[in-house]
């Protein structure tokens, strides 16, 4: 589908450990890159790889001239909520099952992630 990106998340040795699905939403008052799904293998969680993947996603958003990244996270996924908050995402709306979160990129320096997500 046009504007959708399916990225394979790898470590520095090119070992695959997850996937990320996002889409460009340009038809809105506030365009963004919306994250539909982030999956990191359970055995690889807690080692900073998800953080690195989300920072690399900022590079993609900037390359595509999108000023923000948005996502929905389930309320019971406390680890993911902490990760997103630590990365600068703010809750924009609470839903019955979770939170809508958004990070504005235009006023922030580069992400510090090396390379471009694949």
């Amino acid at each position: 589908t046009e504007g959708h990106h399916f990225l394979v998340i790898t470590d520095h040795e090119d070992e695959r450990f997850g996937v990320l699905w996002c889409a460009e939403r340009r038809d809105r008052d506030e365009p963004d890159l919306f994250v539909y799904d982030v999956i990191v293998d359970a055995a690889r969680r807690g080692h900073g790889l998800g953080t690195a993947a989300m920072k690399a996603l900022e590079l993609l958003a900037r390359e595509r001239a999108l000023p923000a990244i948005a996502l929905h996270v389930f309320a019971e996924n406390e680890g993911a909520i902490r990760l997103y908050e630590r990365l600068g995402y703010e809750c924009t709306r609470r839903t019955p099952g979770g939170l809508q979160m958004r990070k504005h990129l235009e006023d922030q320096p580069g992400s510090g992630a090396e390379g471009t997500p694949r």
Side-chain angles (χ1 to χ4, degrees), residues 55-117:
K55 286 184 176 183
L57 189 60
E58 293 179 26
L59 292 174
L60 177 63
R62 285 185 171 92
E63 286 174 1
R64 306 297 296 170
L66 291 162
I69 299 175
L71 53 87
H72 176 272
V73 60
F74 291 109
E76 67 270 6
N77 195 344
E78 296 173 5
I81 293 169
R82 282 192 305 273
L83 168 66
Y84 300 137
E85 288 175 338
R86 192 169 56 247
L87 292 173
Y89 287 77
E90 297 177 349
C91 179
T92 57
R93 189 174 130 220
R94 293 192 182 275
T95 64
L99 292 82
Q100 295 285 340
M101 300 183 85
R102 186 174 190 83
K103 180 175 183 176
H104 294 277
L105 303 174
E106 61 269 346
D107 296 330
Q108 299 182 10
S111 68
E114 295 181 18
T116 303

Side-chain angles (χ1 to χ4, degrees), residues 18 28-29 35 64:
R28 331 172 54 82
D29 290 337
V35 178
R64 306 297 296 170

Side-chain angles (χ1 to χ4, degrees), residues 1 3 9-10 17 19 22 27 30 32 40 42 49 58 71 76 78 81 86 96-97 105 107-108 110 113 115 117:
T1 303
I9 304 169
T10 64
F17 66 88
V19 295
C22 60
D27 59 343
E30 296 181 38
D32 59 31
V40 175
L49 301 172
E58 293 179 26
L71 53 87
E76 67 270 6
E78 296 173 5
I81 293 169
R86 192 169 56 247
L105 303 174
D107 296 330
Q108 299 182 10

